Amino acid sequence: MTDQNHLVDNPARYYEVLGRVMSALRETHALNGAAHLDWWPGNGGRTWEIEWQGGPFPAEAAARLLGAPDTRAYDGEAAHAVSGLIAPGRGDSTRAYLVVLDVPVTLRALDPIGTHQALATLTL
């Protein structure tokens, strides 16, 4: 693996990844019930770090983006935003890792409550 800085070496591709992931998160409603969404370049411009408070667990959001069969159907731009360009990475209970166009993306939730609980609080 080469040690490259995507932000410096290929800024257009690096920002394309952020745009695609953010668009897919919005269009799939993967972060419904979450608050305080933030993102920043990580690891010296080699990754994107995306973080939110409350809402779904990172693995649930990643499953939405990866098109897991247990997610509800959606249409629009999201199906194409990351389709064929995204791959799962390793994960744990607090983070999910994806690779989009060869750029690692970390999804992290602070105090997540899970998708079902977040949706339940939205319908009250």
Side-chain angles (χ1 to χ4, degrees):
M1 185 168 152
T2 62
D3 187 27
Q4 59 183 345
N5 183 323
H6 295 287
L7 184 55
V8 174
D9 294 342
N10 193 348
R13 173 61 63 92
Y14 186 73
Y15 283 103
E16 177 184 359
V17 167
L18 178 63
R20 285 177 178 271
V21 172
M22 296 304 276
S23 176
L25 287 170
R26 182 189 69 238
E27 296 298 323
T28 61
H29 308 286
L31 297 183
N32 276 1
H36 308 291
L37 178 64
D38 199 8
W39 59 92
W40 62 91
N43 197 18
R46 293 175 180 86
T47 68
W48 278 112
E49 308 290 321
I50 300 173
E51 181 178 87
W52 62 91
Q53 188 168 7
F57 292 99
E60 292 173 320
R64 268 306 220 205
L65 295 181
L66 292 165
D70 65 335
T71 61
R72 67 185 161 139
Y74 57 88
D75 49 349
E77 301 287 325
H80 305 289
V82 293
S83 179
L85 306 174
I86 187 170
R90 65 188 195 286
D92 57 34
S93 62
T94 60
R95 291 178 174 81
Y97 301 93
L98 306 170
V99 180
V100 181
L101 293 171
D102 297 324
V103 176
V105 177
T106 301
L107 304 177
R108 179 177 174 220
L110 303 174
D111 303 321
I113 58 175
T115 298
H116 296 296
Q117 183 64 31
L119 291 176
T121 59
L122 288 176
T123 59
L124 291 179

